[in-house]
Amino acid sequence: MQRLEDLKIKIKQATYYDSSTVFSLGKECIQLAKKLRKENEIGYVYQYYGSFNYYANDLKEAKKYYYKSIAVGEKTKDPELVNSTKIRLNFITLDQDVLKAEDGFKELLRVAQKGKYIQNQLEIHNGFGIMYEMRLMYDKATESYLRGLRIAEKHHKKFANGYLLNNLALIKLKAKKYDDAKKDLERALILATETNESRLRLNVLNNLGLVTHQIKDFKGSIIHYKQTVLEAKKNGFPNGIIAAYVNLSSSYLDDKQLIEASKTSDSALAIVQTYRDPLYLITAYTMRGMVSTEQKDFKTAERCIDSIQFFLKSYKDPNFRKDLIGLQSKLASAQGNYKLAYELERKFSDLSDSIREVSNENEQTRLQTIYGKERLENELTHSKQKNKILRTKGELKSANYRFTFLVILSIFLLALASIYIYNVRKSRKIKSVFSQKLIEQIDEERSRISKDLHDDIGQSLAVVKSKLNLFATGKITKLEGVDSEIGDILEQTRVLSHQLHPTALEKIGLERGLHSIIEKTQSATDMVCNFDFDIEGKAIDLETSSQIYRIIQECISNTIKHAHASALKVSVERKNGELVVQYRDNGIGISDSQDKLGLGLLTIRERTAIIGGRLDLKTGTNKGISLTITI
């Protein structure tokens, strides 16, 4: 049974491009189904055969296999198989008679809902969406896709979720909602990758390329089209590979990467020469001609034009004719023949208008078939006048948009420059203040160290020296108290050294080091001091410990000197993987009128930045200080 399911997945994924895989694995699948007495599974194989022929545009052969699949489903009493295959038959009807297909989808949905065939319901809602898109009823198409999405999400059908998001994104792309379309496609790509649906992944990547190209993110479109090429090669679908290379070349061209554009357009030509499909031949030669024109390789561009003209003899399509004239105009302009370029540009414009009018008339005729002549009578009467008015309005809007864009861009650039200059000046001012105060503190610290050395250690050493001299000259016979005095000198030297650099941290760690200074603060002052230290897991490195120690030391010093506080608290703990250091006192705080860029706070900010932390300071008049550092 597992082998049977694996074969079905492989056949289904191969129906788009690989006939040998479809029919060879299908034969094995039929034999296995008979062996397992699962004859209804043969109906699914016939359904896959029909789908392959449908994708190959052989509708007669597709119908034959679909009818065989339905016959198997009815014989084996598998209504879900019958419903599933009839959905595929209805897609063929959709290409021929939209109203009949709508009735078909409604009946098929009723059966699927009654039988609770979730996968079939999803395919039908997708069919409704495609049908309404064909009828230009985009609101109803969106509604159909969203219904399908809700069902797919509820039942965790990732593949269906992916293709519904892809189709919904294409509607948003037509409405120029590029950001929304991109988000839907990115979600669809994740789902296609998770379900290993290569065909869906190919379509989504190509559509992502279209969206990013539309918003002029050419580097982004290059990334997506490169992935599209890889996916198309993986599928082995030649037309998909050619289209992907042409799209990739177009993005390289717009991104001014002419060498890469040349390589990829040559790749498209190399593949299309093997299959000789006139549609893709014209497309590939047009792309190569555009690239050659930009490269000033006029001979290659002219050869491309000759090739396009040759294939247009047997493939008469006005759109390709228009593209040819556009290429000829660009080539003439690049060669300096501006008169010819102007004439060709006018010809290009006239042909574009003609194609647009014919397209409108064809669309109106098609809509007449769907809705009836009476509902579109007024639109037919005024269609040509509307086209002319729209062209005029379009030209005026284009000029206004360009002017508005330039004005907005100029204002934006000026604002950006002003903000940048302000921030630079502010940063320089802060650094200047910090440097000045730092120099002052260094001078004060040096003065204090000098005083300590002279007044304390120097005086003590002088006394000891004097006693030693007296002893050496025989004026005294005993060195009483010298040991004690030398011990005091050593203790003074140790205290001074520790103030300069807390080497004890290397030996006793941050917790004991902080506990020591807080204990000394409490014994030397009337303040109530509280200390919490609660970290688990990874130990704190010496550099971080040293900076935290200095920050707390600076905070305690400021509290003693300025805060008039009766209590302080220090806590160090780990929360959600982050180290959180908090210092609080109940002193007078810092008022809004006071300088919050004092040297102490500036030093604390610099030390926090060194260890990659975030500083949050809360204070105010008579509100004390709450300082939090998160690392």
Side-chain angles (χ1 to χ4, degrees):
M1 284 300 299
Q2 185 59 50
R3 174 62 181 161
L4 184 67
E5 290 302 317
D6 291 342
L7 284 170
K8 284 169 63 181
I9 291 170
K10 288 179 181 178
I11 298 166
K12 187 177 180 181
Q13 289 180 341
T15 53
Y16 196 62
Y17 61 89
D18 190 351
S19 60
S20 62
T21 300
V22 170
F23 291 99
S24 62
L25 293 182
K27 185 177 179 181
E28 183 183 348
C29 194
I30 290 171
Q31 291 172 348
L32 189 56
K34 287 178 179 178
K35 182 179 178 181
L36 293 167
R37 296 182 180 179
K38 294 282 184 180
E39 291 190 8
N40 65 317
E41 299 292 349
I42 298 171
Y44 284 103
V45 175
Y46 288 144
Q47 185 188 102
Y48 300 149
Y49 286 173
S51 295
F52 173 79
N53 285 286
Y54 175 77
Y55 294 134
N57 207 31
D58 188 349
L59 300 184
K60 184 178 178 181
E61 196 71 3
K63 285 182 179 180
K64 184 185 82 173
Y65 281 114
Y66 284 149
Y67 287 131
K68 288 181 74 173
S69 175
I70 292 170
V72 172
E74 290 173 343
K75 181 182 176 182
T76 57
K77 296 181 180 180
D78 188 343
E80 186 173 1
L81 168 61
V82 173
N83 185 254
S84 174
T85 308
K86 283 184 176 180
I87 292 169
R88 283 148 182 78
L89 265 173
N90 205 55
F91 273 99
I92 296 177
T93 304
L94 181 61
D95 294 332
Q96 300 162 351
D97 187 338
V98 177
L99 293 178
K100 186 177 178 180
E102 183 177 19
D103 292 336
F105 278 133
K106 287 178 179 177
E107 175 59 22
L108 289 165
L109 182 60
R110 186 189 65 78
V111 173
Q113 288 174 335
K114 184 179 178 181
K116 297 181 180 179
Y117 310 141
I118 301 302
Q119 187 60 45
N120 292 1
Q121 290 179 43
L122 293 169
E123 292 172 354
I124 292 166
H125 284 302
N126 187 52
F128 272 123
I130 293 169
M131 180 194 68
Y132 287 128
E133 277 196 77
M134 291 172 64
R135 295 163 67 175
L136 308 182
M137 300 166 70
Y138 296 118
D139 288 343
K140 296 199 75 171
T142 301
E143 187 178 329
S144 298
Y145 290 139
L146 289 173
R147 279 202 195 102
L149 275 172
R150 285 193 289 271
I151 296 170
E153 289 171 352
K154 180 180 177 181
H155 295 277
H156 308 291
K157 299 290 185 180
K158 290 185 177 182
F159 173 57
N161 205 336
Y163 66 67
L164 288 164
L165 279 170
N166 180 65
N167 292 347
L168 190 61
L170 291 176
I171 292 180
K172 293 176 180 179
L173 177 59
K174 289 175 185 174
K176 297 183 178 179
K177 296 179 179 180
Y178 300 123
D179 288 339
D180 291 341
K182 188 179 178 185
K183 288 176 184 176
D184 286 347
L185 288 169
E186 286 171 346
R187 285 174 60 200
L189 182 60
I190 292 170
L191 293 167
T193 303
E194 288 177 351
T195 54
N196 198 29
E197 287 289 343
S198 185
R199 185 173 56 197
L200 174 60
R201 184 174 162 82
L202 172 65
N203 288 333
V204 173
L205 284 168
N206 185 68
N207 293 335
L208 271 169
L210 289 174
V211 171
T212 47
H213 198 110
Q214 283 289 335
I215 61 177
K216 300 191 184 305
D217 177 13
F218 301 125
K219 286 184 169 52
S221 66
I222 287 167
I223 291 170
H224 294 308
Y225 284 138
K226 277 184 175 179
Q227 293 174 314
T228 306
V229 170
L230 294 174
E231 206 66 34
K233 286 181 177 178
K234 179 181 175 183
N235 286 337
F237 186 46
N239 288 348
I241 300 170
I242 296 162
Y245 270 128
V246 169
N247 288 337
L248 180 56
S249 181
S250 176
S251 289
Y252 274 132
L253 181 62
D254 287 337
D255 199 42
K256 305 302 180 186
Q257 297 187 46
L258 300 183
I259 295 174
E260 294 300 324
S262 177
K263 288 178 183 178
T264 47
S265 61
D266 282 340
S267 297
L269 277 172
I271 299 169
V272 80
Q273 293 289 358
T274 305
Y275 296 93
R276 308 299 294 175
D277 186 322
L279 186 151
Y280 285 94
L281 278 164
I282 295 169
T283 303
Y285 274 115
T286 303
M287 191 69 250
R288 187 68 184 91
M290 297 288 285
V291 175
S292 300
T293 301
E294 285 292 324
Q295 290 179 313
K296 308 297 181 184
D297 182 4
F298 301 135
K299 287 186 178 180
T300 301
E302 287 166 356
R303 284 198 297 270
C304 290
I305 288 170
D306 292 339
S307 298
I308 296 166
Q309 288 173 330
F310 172 79
F311 291 113
L312 279 175
K313 290 177 182 178
S314 57
Y315 196 86
K316 300 183 183 297
D317 187 302
N319 285 293
F320 286 133
R321 179 68 183 167
K322 180 193 72 172
D323 292 341
L324 172 62
I325 294 170
L327 174 57
Q328 289 172 322
S329 174
K330 287 183 180 297
L331 178 59
S333 178
Q335 290 175 323
N337 191 347
Y338 300 113
K339 182 179 179 181
L340 176 60
Y342 175 75
E343 291 173 358
L344 288 167
E345 192 64 29
R346 285 187 61 185
K347 195 173 180 181
F348 175 87
S349 180
D350 292 339
L351 184 56
S352 297
D353 292 342
S354 175
I355 291 170
R356 193 180 299 111
E357 288 178 4
V358 169
S359 176
N360 288 340
E361 289 174 2
N362 290 340
E363 186 60 33
Q364 288 160 359
T365 303
R366 189 178 70 82
L367 291 174
Q368 276 186 348
T369 305
I370 298 171
Y371 296 109
K373 187 176 179 180
E374 291 180 359
R375 295 183 63 181
L376 295 172
E377 192 172 12
N378 291 332
E379 291 183 18
L380 287 169
T381 306
H382 301 292
S383 62
K384 290 185 178 180
Q385 293 179 353
K386 285 182 179 180
N387 285 334
K388 291 179 181 178
I389 292 168
L390 286 172
R391 283 199 299 273
T392 305
K393 285 184 177 179
E395 291 170 0
L396 289 170
K397 278 185 178 180
S398 179
N400 288 335
Y401 286 155
R402 285 195 295 269
F403 176 76
T404 305
F405 173 76
L406 289 172
V407 171
I408 292 171
L409 181 62
S410 300
I411 294 170
F412 174 76
L413 291 174
L414 284 171
L416 200 63
S418 299
I419 293 168
Y420 175 76
I421 292 168
Y422 171 78
N423 287 333
V424 168
R425 287 177 177 174
K426 184 178 179 181
S427 176
R428 286 177 180 173
K429 183 179 179 181
I430 292 170
K431 287 180 180 179
S432 176
V433 170
F434 178 78
S435 298
Q436 184 179 348
K437 291 186 177 182
L438 185 62
I439 291 167
E440 291 173 2
Q441 190 186 50
I442 289 169
D443 289 339
E444 288 175 6
E445 189 69 10
R446 285 175 175 173
S447 177
R448 184 185 67 78
I449 292 168
S450 175
K451 184 178 179 182
D452 287 347
L453 288 170
H454 181 269
D455 293 348
D456 296 333
I457 297 173
Q459 292 292 339
S460 297
L461 285 172
V463 170
V464 171
K465 181 182 177 184
S466 177
K467 284 186 179 182
L468 289 172
N469 287 335
L470 291 170
F471 179 78
T473 56
K475 293 181 179 179
I476 61 174
T477 57
K478 293 182 180 180
L479 293 174
E480 293 180 354
V482 171
D483 287 344
S484 176
E485 289 170 353
I486 291 174
D488 290 340
I489 293 167
L490 289 172
E491 177 62 22
Q492 290 169 354
T493 305
R494 187 191 66 78
V495 170
L496 182 60
S497 174
H498 183 70
Q499 289 173 350
L500 292 173
H501 179 67
T503 53
L505 287 177
E506 299 178 20
K507 299 176 182 178
I508 64 174
L510 179 61
E511 181 180 5
R512 290 178 62 188
L514 290 175
H515 187 274
S516 175
I517 62 170
I518 289 168
E519 193 173 57
K520 287 178 181 178
T521 301
Q522 181 161 295
S523 63
T525 65
D526 294 329
M527 285 190 292
V528 177
C529 300
N530 187 276
F531 176 55
D532 289 330
F533 192 96
D534 182 16
I535 65 166
E536 295 180 359
K538 186 179 178 182
I540 305 172
D541 60 83
L542 184 59
E543 172 64 20
T544 304
S545 297
S546 178
Q547 296 299 344
I548 292 172
Y549 182 91
R550 286 303 194 191
I551 289 168
I552 298 302
Q553 197 176 44
E554 181 67 34
C555 289
I556 292 172
S557 175
N558 288 340
T559 296
I560 293 170
K561 290 178 182 178
H562 310 297
H564 305 295
S566 62
L568 65 83
K569 181 176 180 179
V570 176
S571 66
V572 181
E573 56 185 338
R574 203 181 295 278
K575 292 182 180 178
N576 301 321
E578 293 183 319
L579 187 65
V580 180
V581 180
Q582 191 172 50
Y583 179 89
R584 288 181 290 172
D585 71 32
N586 63 349
I588 62 174
I590 302 173
S591 67
D592 293 334
S593 61
Q594 287 178 294
D595 182 14
K596 292 185 181 180
L597 294 176
L599 183 61
L601 285 176
L602 285 172
T603 303
I604 290 169
R605 290 183 189 278
E606 287 295 316
R607 291 189 185 279
T608 303
I610 287 170
I611 55 177
R614 303 189 304 274
L615 177 65
D616 180 34
L617 174 65
K618 294 178 182 177
T619 185
T621 306
N622 296 321
K623 292 183 179 180
I625 276 185
S626 176
L627 184 142
T628 304
I629 297 169
T630 307
I631 306 166

